[in-house]
Amino acid sequence: MEDAQIDLRQVTGRVKWFDPGKGFGFILDTEGGPDILLHANVLRNFGQGSVADNAGITVTVQVTPRGAQAVEVLAIAPPEGEAMRPAPIEDLGDSDPAEIAALPLEPARVKWFDKVKGFGFANVFGRPEDVFIHIEVLRRSGFADLGPGEAVCLRVIEGKRGRMAAQVVSWETALREVR
């Protein structure tokens, strides 16, 4: 019996939707191919437990008898226009994306995040105070949700009420940036 050749290809697209509760979602191929299944395990291997709808995504895809499915996430970008859109958060004001990108990455664990309330908190390693995370910052960072204990890196600013995240980056993405 011959080994079947695995045909892998790289695809860039947009997240159609992703439901962490169901454990999967779909990607729209920008070149017009069929929808691509994105399983939660593949996303977790990239270092994220969720991804925002309409986020840009580059994946390695395998076509199976059941359809196209992502086998590896290579990159995730915030939804178009999100990174440049003025924040509806008073403390961030009209922060320049270049200024935010220049802030140091601080390793953190999510304490809790409530998508319905639209915010949550994380603990930065080696610091006693919590860091506030607003859902709009999370969305602009390419995430849809965060789970308790999830390891992330934050770019933090001093707000009127304390430290707050200006950007959230997955642990694995931060490691790639540092190298």
Side-chain angles (χ1 to χ4, degrees):
M1 184 169 146
E2 264 182 52
D3 288 336
Q5 183 178 355
I6 297 174
D7 184 27
L8 300 176
R9 64 187 176 98
Q10 186 172 311
V11 173
T12 298
R14 296 242 157 246
V15 175
K16 184 175 185 176
W17 61 268
F18 184 83
D19 185 333
K22 291 181 179 179
F24 69 93
F26 288 93
I27 300 167
L28 296 170
D29 184 345
T30 55
E31 294 182 8
D35 287 359
I36 301 160
L37 174 68
L38 176 61
H39 193 274
N41 288 337
V42 174
L43 188 58
R44 277 195 283 284
N45 287 341
F46 181 72
Q48 289 188 207
S50 70
V51 63
D53 293 351
N54 205 31
I57 189 165
T58 302
V59 293
T60 302
V61 174
Q62 177 181 1
V63 177
T64 70
R66 297 181 70 183
Q69 63 183 27
V71 294
E72 181 181 16
V73 175
L74 304 171
I76 294 176
E80 282 184 9
E82 292 291 326
M84 302 306 284
R85 187 179 75 183
I89 305 164
E90 182 182 330
D91 289 350
L92 284 180
D94 57 355
S95 297
D96 178 21
E99 289 175 15
I100 291 172
L103 294 170
L105 287 169
E106 299 185 38
R109 284 229 183 255
V110 176
K111 189 173 182 178
W112 62 270
F113 189 84
D114 188 324
K115 193 174 177 179
V116 174
K117 290 181 180 177
F119 67 93
F121 292 91
N123 300 117
V124 170
F125 295 118
R127 297 196 61 140
E129 70 276 7
D130 291 343
V131 175
F132 176 79
I133 303 171
H134 192 279
I135 195 159
E136 284 301 315
V137 169
L138 193 66
R139 181 169 163 69
R140 288 184 319 178
S141 299
F143 289 79
D145 202 356
L146 293 172
E150 191 169 341
V152 294
C153 283
L154 305 174
R155 288 194 164 97
V156 179
I157 63 166
E158 289 294 333
K160 291 178 184 170
R161 294 174 294 258
R163 291 170 43 88
M164 68 177 291
Q167 184 181 31
V168 180
V169 179
S170 75
W171 188 258
E172 285 76 1
T173 299
L175 287 175
R176 284 190 293 273
E177 283 185 25
V178 172
R179 290 181 193 166

